[in-house]
Amino acid sequence: MSNRVVQRPRWLAYGLPVFLLVGLLLQACVPAAAPAAQEPAAGEASEEAASNVTVYGTELPADARPYDEQVYRVAANINQSASTFDFPVAVYNRYCLADLFQDTLVSLDKDFNVIPGAAESWDVSEDGKVWTFHLRPGQVWSDGTPLTAYDYEATFRLTATPEHGWDFSWFYSFLADGGIKNWSKIIAGELPPEELGVRAVDDLTLEVETEDVFPPLPGVMKFAFTLQKKALEEHGPYYNSSVETSVSSGPFVLAEFDPGNKIAVEANPTYKGYRPPLLKRIECTFMDPSTFFAAYQNGDIDVVGYGALTPADFELILRDETMSSNYLRHFGDFRTDYLLFDTFTEPFSNLDVRKAFAHAVDRENIVASVYGEIKAMPAYSMLMPGYPSSDTEGALRAYQNFDCDLANEHLAAAGYPGGEGFPDQVMMLRGEAPAMAAVYQAVAASISSCLNINMEISNVDRKIYMDALNAKPTELTFGAVDYGMDFLDPANLLGNVWKSGGRHSWKNDEFDSLVTEAAGMVGNPELRDQMFRDAERVLVDDVGGIFIAHRWAGDLMQPWVQGTIRDPDSQGITGWHWGNDQDIAQIYISE
Amino acid sequence: MTVSAATRLDVAPPEERRHRTLWHDAARRFMRNRLAVAGLAIVVFFLSLAVFADLVAPYPYDRVYYDRVLRFPFELAGHPLGTDEVGRDYLSRLIYGARTSMTVGIAVQMVALVIGVPLGSLAGFVGGRTDFFISRFIDIMTAFPGLMFSILIISVWGGGITKVIFALSITSWIGIARLTRGQILSLREKEYVEAARCVGVSRNRIILRHLLPNALTPILVAISFGIPAAMFGEAGLSFLGIGINDPIPSWGKMVGVSNAYVRVYWHLALFPTVAVALSMLGFSFVGDGLRDALDPKMIE
Amino acid sequence: MARYIIGRISSLLLVLFIVSVVTFFLMHQVPGGPFDETKAPLPPAAKENILRKYGLDKPIHIQYLNYMKNAVLHFDFGIPYQQPTTTVTALIAKSWKVTAQVGLMTVLLAFGAGIALGVYAAYHQNSWLDNVTTFIAMLGITVPSFVIAMWLILFFAVRLKWLPMGGWNASGTCLIGSAYICTDWIMPVLAYALGPLAIIARYTRSSVVDVMRQDFTRTARAKGLATRAIMLRHILRNALIPMVTALGVIIPNLLTGSIFIEAVFRINGLGKFFVTSIFNRDYPMIMALFLLIAFLWSLTYLFTDILYTWIDPRVRLGAEGGA
């Protein structure tokens, strides 16, 4: 035994560390970022002529690389939990490359107009409550089964089944009048799923009945995804999580499935829908978001979303001409950052206090220096310019603009001259990352220095925040939050979000009646638009919230990624557009 | 400096002769230890920063300058360490950060002292079932993953400086309690304790007058190591984004936030890490020095 | 001996039981549940459906009993809410692979370099390398690992641009294929190893110095044994006890991974679950992690105590209450 003790330390004490150190030093000398360049294939020019046709027989654009090289590479957040590809299974828990295995009933164009998707047309009944969608004939699943309205019906019933516990089931209750008939009762187990207001009439006809008149319903059918009824019955809702059982009626089929490592899809040769893709393959590699940008710089991935870019990354992008011209800034989901309060209790029940706060936020400077203009624009109201009924003219600016003197007048009128006697405030944040936490620190500093009051910031985790916010009565006195739209109609961002009884502890009868009436209005789009505009004016004037900034989203693309994704919409905005399912099919890889 | 300090102690007026020699010797040994003195200097430096932050810091810690966001050191006059992601003077935030660190470090150790020493002495002196239960309790607490436990606690009760102190205190007393118990166990068999017991001195008086003073030395040393450990704990929680509330600065939080900016704005990471490292080193040197100085074996 | 070990194991089980009870009830105290909707108040019916799906509608003591029944009888620790298509055991096993790689490299570096430096420093007391070692040891022991990590990043990634900012088998060049011993291993391992390395170097140095002063070493040397032989045969063996103590602290830490190192270098190991599972109210993961750590620590205490007697028969088991 003593021999062993003697023997071990000799090499352990000398050999190993020397080996390790030498190894480490040697590796340290290797430059880390050896760019794995995208080398244009030189000798393949002769084959090109024959290989520039897709599986659908479409010819690729002239500057495109051969069809075999039409591979689009994206990255997935390895830390994010995911359990399914399918929206009807779990909305908040989807893998990358989700939503490519089926077409939703409708899609949106670049200007957010509802256009046909899997349904080629639709019409509404006399009473405005029953919508009939007509599917495109000839659509099939990749196993040869025809795609029918019964697939959609089965999928909707699944999502409403109480045992399924769908994480998006709140949505159709949240739509209130626009909700699907009997949704809430089925969720509560009071009615069987067969009573749901979604019915297949025949193979190509699907009826959707709403609780009450709801004109924006076709837009909501952007969420009408479908699973295959047959596969659902044979393998259960997770059938897409395996190459063998996966079936697709969308433009791509599952080719490789190794979550945590790599997922790949390939063009679906049997696809008969409205968006046959130019790409042959999309690969999704799982990495940590912090390495996305480095991978992009290495040429390993073709796109990085703005969420994965740190402030330092943005600095580097702005300094680089190629990168900054390939950063496609877009609306994202029309997200607005705002402050909210409990207006039912002191001190924020006092309108003057709310106005004082609203006028104390120096948005322009905060956006210019803390957010950076590439990421946000100052907000004076809820709807981001570009969203339906939004205040593109700046008519609402004056209600919440930065004016410290005016702010102090309001505070004095509220009985706290010079901030005297105003209770110390804690601004709650919803688990914000450093960049957004910095923004709200600047907001808090702006308010506290202008009004001479004390303010701390408590950045709590999302669950605690939402628990406090959603409690009735609310446990959130003062906080900051953001909201991105669920569907493209002011009935969502004004109605669902701000109507009393929802997430905010603010109540204004005029506002409530305006949005309720406008939401269900048919036949008079101008009046409807004007009513929403009036409602938003009430919102900012009564300071239901203090609007800080509208968030610009964006994607950093490789220069060789081409297609309609680079075309501007009518407002000159390029890049990805919410609800637009066509651009992905038009992406191709150029030389 | 060492000499002058020692001399000054030499001429200090004698108060109680017997005590003076013990502490006098210890102080002299401590002052001869160059590292310990350097550590003491660092600790005194950071402590005075913490106490006099309002006077020393060039700006308030929460003063925001929109036109000076993310500036490098010396880029602007008046901001020698640059500014942070919100446009606040980094030097001032660093100075106020010392206050956070010191407050947490010292408060947590005070709690540890208040809980650990009585519990440890009780277990050590009374023995029997009391000892059994307290020891098992200590065993169980040791098995809890400290950091995760703190995260859970803060998730239950929210962040903020008092909550952080509370969360860190929950596990900080264990070492002190165990140490005190061991000390009391070995001391209570000593002859002078026997003698006191024979003479009929009360149990409380034996603990307070005879046992605790003699057990004090190692406890003192443990505390001097416990302070940086608690500072580390605070820095760690704040690093993960669940510690001290904004806009109050904390070194750990500054390091954590800097992670997103470090590729370009290196200064955000450099200065708070140096501050953390220096203060930790300072306290450790003092702790080492104290242990050596108070170790009876060192008396020659 | 057998009686002692049985006693210790039963107290280990008691500890695990109490940890499980406290953790279970504490984590259910945290506001917010695992499936709270983040947009609007969830309709009560929808919320109930989701809770029922995961068995969270039952009284908490029933939930606890169910959990323990599955855990003890079937070794089934449930489904992690973060990734419902896998199991807690599978998820931990998967992320443990990376953590184990980090840990293994760290142990190798810490022990290899630590012992070498310690022995060298003891033999060349007050040489410049001894001073450097002391300094490194000081840094490693006192400075938090995330601070060291930040310095490494600042120097090697930001300033020199030699090494990737982070990742594990994710960026940089690799020695074996494209997956093993990559350049992105260097900084995490260095930052993580420095602490244990410092402790080991310090223990080694002081015990080697101690032993060198002992009579038996002098005797051995007087008998004319060569220096190296003395060192290896007598000194290292005697220096082993403090090493075991060091091991007892280091090993469980390395096995469970470092939240900080994994956060700074964005390593996808077990460490991140310590934070994310609490943030996501992933009850099964929280339970499993708490139990795992408690188990590892208790087991390590037990092993080190047994190891003491094996190395040094003078140490008697059970003499003083134990850990």
Side-chain angles (χ1 to χ4, degrees), chain A residues 544-565:
Chain A
I546 296 173
F547 302 94
I548 310 291
H550 302 299
R551 213 90 71 78
W552 284 114
D555 294 300
L556 180 60
M557 295 271 186
Q558 294 288 11
W560 54 77
V561 177
Q562 294 294 334
T564 51
I565 188 121

Side-chain angles (χ1 to χ4, degrees), chain A residues 286-299:
Chain A
F286 285 75
M287 333 178 178
D288 192 281
S290 60
T291 58
F292 286 4
F293 186 56
Y296 171 88
Q297 286 182 307
N298 272 358

Side-chain angles (χ1 to χ4, degrees), chain A residues 85-136:
Chain A
F85 283 104
D86 297 302
F87 192 96
V89 178
V91 177
Y92 303 110
N93 224 346
R94 282 177 296 165
Y95 291 117
C96 61
L97 309 185
D99 306 347
L100 295 172
F101 301 153
Q102 69 270 92
D103 290 340
T104 51
L105 285 179
V106 303
S107 182
L108 301 183
D109 69 8
K110 282 220 158 171
D111 290 320
F112 305 105
N113 300 308
V114 181
I115 57 170
E120 60 181 358
S121 65
W122 53 88
D123 37 69
V124 63
S125 66
E126 294 267 311
D127 65 356
K129 290 187 194 173
V130 180
W131 297 77
T132 309
F133 289 84
H134 306 284
L135 298 189
R136 284 169 205 275

Side-chain angles (χ1 to χ4, degrees), chain C residues 218-240:
Chain C
R218 286 196 198 131
T219 319
R221 196 178 290 194
K223 280 193 331 201
L225 285 171
T227 324
R228 173 162 298 179
I230 297 173
M231 182 181 84
L232 293 178
R233 192 175 297 271
H234 294 288
I235 297 177
L236 272 181
R237 173 126 196 249
N238 279 280
L240 223 54

Side-chain angles (χ1 to χ4, degrees), chain A residues 321-379:
Chain A
E321 208 175 302
T322 320
M323 279 200 285
S324 54
S325 64
N326 280 289
Y327 182 78
L328 305 184
R329 200 174 71 159
H330 58 72
F331 291 116
D333 57 0
F334 295 90
R335 197 159 284 273
T336 300
D337 295 311
Y338 59 93
L339 304 181
L340 49 78
F341 10 58
D342 175 8
T343 67
F344 299 150
T345 46
E346 285 286 327
F348 295 112
S349 51
N350 187 327
L351 178 60
D352 272 315
V353 170
R354 304 206 295 271
K355 279 191 185 289
F357 271 54
H359 287 297
V361 180
D362 188 356
R363 298 162 181 78
E364 310 266 328
N365 270 318
I366 290 169
V367 166
S369 55
V370 186
Y371 273 101
E373 266 150 7
I374 194 168
K375 286 199 277 189
M377 62 194 280

